[in-house]
């Protein structure tokens, strides 16, 4: 079963310096039908004006991931920093028993475009931590590249998160087809980062998402980039 969440149906907030689309209920946006999917709790698409950002604020008991679409973000937290996050990079922060951080557009001239993701951890009161991983553009072309998961053979390329969930990125072009098998009891969320793709016969455009359950596999084709969440 595939349930599509169209881009235009998401929550939207415009603060002037921040334009944000919320796939699931977040902040002042509440939809009882979209409170998250499995352990995926937040999926926000943020565009931040040059030189602007979020001042210091706290989080706890959440795995917080940021994927850059365009531009750069400056990050600082109560453990580490400053850090600069750019294209083809992922930031992973375990909020654990409490962490304070700030994030802002690192450029005074160009906007930033990112996806902020919250995943519920398997346990509470973990020790906070910060990770940043990068990859070459060709790593995601025509194949799935693992950005984050419960373990990592190479911590410089795959972040470790405290949940039995995996986040992949892929970029498909003409003639490409990428397949991800889902074992019994596993689910997937697809988020289109850019372009137009086909997911098991369903056409999705930039900003669209899809919940996948009771399917043996996810087949991706078309011309675009997606994030694929493999979820318990």
């Amino acid at each position: 079963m595939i349930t599509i969440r169209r881009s235009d149906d998401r929550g939207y907030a415009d603060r002037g310096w921040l334009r944000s689309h919320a796939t699931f209920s977040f902040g002042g946006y509440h939809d009882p039908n979209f409170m998250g999917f499995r352990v995926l709790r937040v999926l926000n698409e943020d565009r931040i004006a040059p030189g602007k950002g979020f001042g210091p604020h706290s989080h706890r008991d959440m795995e917080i991931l940021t994927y850059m679409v365009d531009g750069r973000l400056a990050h600082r937290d109560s453990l580490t920093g400053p850090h600069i996050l750019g294209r083809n990079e992922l930031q992973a922060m375990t909020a654990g028993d409490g962490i304070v951080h700030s994030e802002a557009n690192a450029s005074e001239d160009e906007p930033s475009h990112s996806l902020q993701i919250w995943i519920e951890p398997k346990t509470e009161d973990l020790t906070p931590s910060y990770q940043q991983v990068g990859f070459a553009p060709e790593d995601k072309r025509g194949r799935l590249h693992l950005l984050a998961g419960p373990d990592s053979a190479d911590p410089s390329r795959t972040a470790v998160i405290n949940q039995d969930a995996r986040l992949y990125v892929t970029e498909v072009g003409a003639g490409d087809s990428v397949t991800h098998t889902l074992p019994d009891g596993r689910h997937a969320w697809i988020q289109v980062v850019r372009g137009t793709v086909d997911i098991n016969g369903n056409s999705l455009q930039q900003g669209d998402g899809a919940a996948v359950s009771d399917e043996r596999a996810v087949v991706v084709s078309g011309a675009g980039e997606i994030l694929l969440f493999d979820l318990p």
Side-chain angles (χ1 to χ4, degrees), residues 55-77:
H57 57 284
S58 61
H59 295 286
R60 65 172 299 142
D61 294 329
M62 200 65 68
E63 301 294 291
I64 300 175
L65 312 179
T66 303
Y67 181 75
M68 290 306 301
V69 181
D70 286 304
R72 296 180 300 147
L73 278 181
H75 170 95
R76 184 188 295 271
D77 60 51

Side-chain angles (χ1 to χ4, degrees), residues 46 67-73 85-87 111-114 194:
D46 293 338
Y67 181 75
M68 290 306 301
V69 181
D70 286 304
R72 296 180 300 147
L73 278 181
L85 185 69
R87 282 286 305 277
S112 71
H113 182 190
S114 60
R194 63 179 93 236

Side-chain angles (χ1 to χ4, degrees), residues 89-113:
E89 289 188 306
L90 177 85
Q91 170 187 287
M93 186 174 69
T94 293
D97 59 10
I99 195 168
V100 176
H101 81 130
S102 63
E103 52 193 344
N105 190 333
S107 171
E108 295 292 334
D109 304 305
E110 301 293 332
S112 71
H113 182 190

Side-chain angles (χ1 to χ4, degrees), residues 45 47 67-69 113 115 169-170 191-195 205-208 224-227:
E45 183 176 9
R47 291 174 170 86
Y67 181 75
M68 290 306 301
V69 181
H113 182 190
L115 294 173
V169 61
T170 187
Q191 189 68 29
V192 183
V193 177
R194 63 179 93 236
Q205 298 182 356
Q206 192 276 326
D208 290 348
E225 179 181 358
I226 68 158
L227 295 182

Side-chain angles (χ1 to χ4, degrees), residues 143-222:
R143 56 182 171 176
L144 289 164
H145 173 69
L146 181 62
L147 292 172
D151 47 52
S152 174
D154 185 350
S156 69
R157 289 165 50 85
T158 301
V160 176
I161 58 174
N162 296 284
Q163 181 54 268
D164 183 21
R166 291 165 179 82
L167 170 59
Y168 299 88
V169 61
T170 187
E171 184 178 84
V172 292
D176 290 335
S177 179
V178 175
T179 299
H180 179 69
T181 301
L182 288 173
D184 289 345
R186 301 292 294 188
H187 307 259
W189 181 274
I190 308 298
Q191 189 68 29
V192 183
V193 177
R194 63 179 93 236
T196 300
V197 299
D198 182 279
I199 306 293
N200 291 21
N202 298 275
S203 180
L204 277 70
Q205 298 182 356
Q206 192 276 326
D208 290 348
V212 181
S213 296
D214 300 320
E215 298 277 339
R216 298 184 64 180
V218 177
V219 181
V220 184
S221 59

